[in-house]
Amino acid sequence: MISFIIAMEKEAEPVIAAMERKRERKVCGKRIIFGTLFKKKVSIVICGVGKVNAACGTQIAIDILKCDLIINLGVAGGLNGSLKIAEMYEISHAVQYDFDLTQLNGTAIGTLDECNENYLALDICGKYPAKRLATGDRFNDDKSDFKLLTRVLDADVRDMEGGAVAQVCMHAKVKCRLYKIISDSAGSGSTTEQYLKNLSLCFETLKRELKNILN
């Protein structure tokens, strides 16, 4: 089975609307929707915002739902001029920019204790431009974060879940794909204002590209 890991109810709505033969249950407080999508058996785990929620939802999908492909979908922030608002991108590598063992291990920021490099490589299909994702439990316009994300980590996209999904799938040896739609662009005004303004455009992109993602 394919399982979508999606943070928020509103992000999941376009996927739920396209599903057939739906049923629901709750596991560990997470809403799970089962059904078919373009004739394929799928489930959606609405995990909640942030890395811990994303990791919990992904583990549920792997251990309880027995999924063999995880797809993390959601909106995200663009960090440079190579990304366009409401466009879909697939993630080739993901890092957790708020994970730092530099002082203890002497490793680059974002390097997990069990890894030698900070970026985790992901499965990509080549259907969309491939970008590098930085994940952290922060939604802000902080200049020091922007400097870290762009100058140190050379990331293209920023979100709050993808890196955690990738970490769980790495350990479980389950195929993982991340698709992000750009809701805001760093340096173009308030991140919050852009996010709220562009959400509907992002959801239209998701509706349009959903079949392409599954096929």
Side-chain angles (χ1 to χ4, degrees), residues 57-173:
T58 305
Q59 202 69 60
I60 288 169
I62 294 169
D63 286 346
I64 299 176
L65 308 185
K66 306 300 181 184
C67 293
D68 51 18
L69 171 61
I70 296 291
I71 298 178
N72 174 225
L73 283 177
V75 298
L79 294 170
N80 57 52
S82 72
L83 299 108
K84 297 180 180 179
I85 295 294
E87 289 294 307
M88 176 84 75
Y89 298 90
E90 59 182 335
I91 302 303
S92 62
H93 297 80
V95 66
Q96 296 176 51
Y97 70 89
D98 58 355
F99 188 95
D100 188 359
L101 288 179
T102 301
Q103 186 171 310
L104 183 63
N105 289 347
T107 49
I109 192 165
T111 306
L112 302 171
D113 194 42
E114 62 269 33
C115 296
N116 296 318
E117 297 180 355
N118 55 4
Y119 271 98
L120 303 181
L122 294 160
D123 185 73
I124 60 172
C125 299
K127 295 179 179 179
Y128 304 99
K131 300 295 179 179
R132 288 155 62 97
L133 173 73
T135 296
D137 279 327
R138 295 198 285 271
F139 186 103
N140 60 30
D141 291 313
D142 186 82
K143 291 181 180 178
S144 61
D145 272 1
F146 179 71
K147 183 178 179 181
L148 168 65
L149 292 165
T150 56
R151 297 185 189 179
V152 178
L153 293 171
D154 195 27
D156 303 297
V157 184
R158 170 184 179 175
D159 84 339
M160 297 180 69
E161 292 85 27
V165 174
Q167 183 181 359
V168 172
C169 290
M170 174 190 71
H171 285 297
K173 295 180 172 55

Side-chain angles (χ1 to χ4, degrees), residues 180-196:
K180 300 295 170 179
I181 307 167
I182 303 304
S183 61
D184 53 89
S185 180
S188 299
S190 165
T191 296
T192 303
E193 290 177 6
Q194 291 183 73
Y195 168 82
L196 294 173

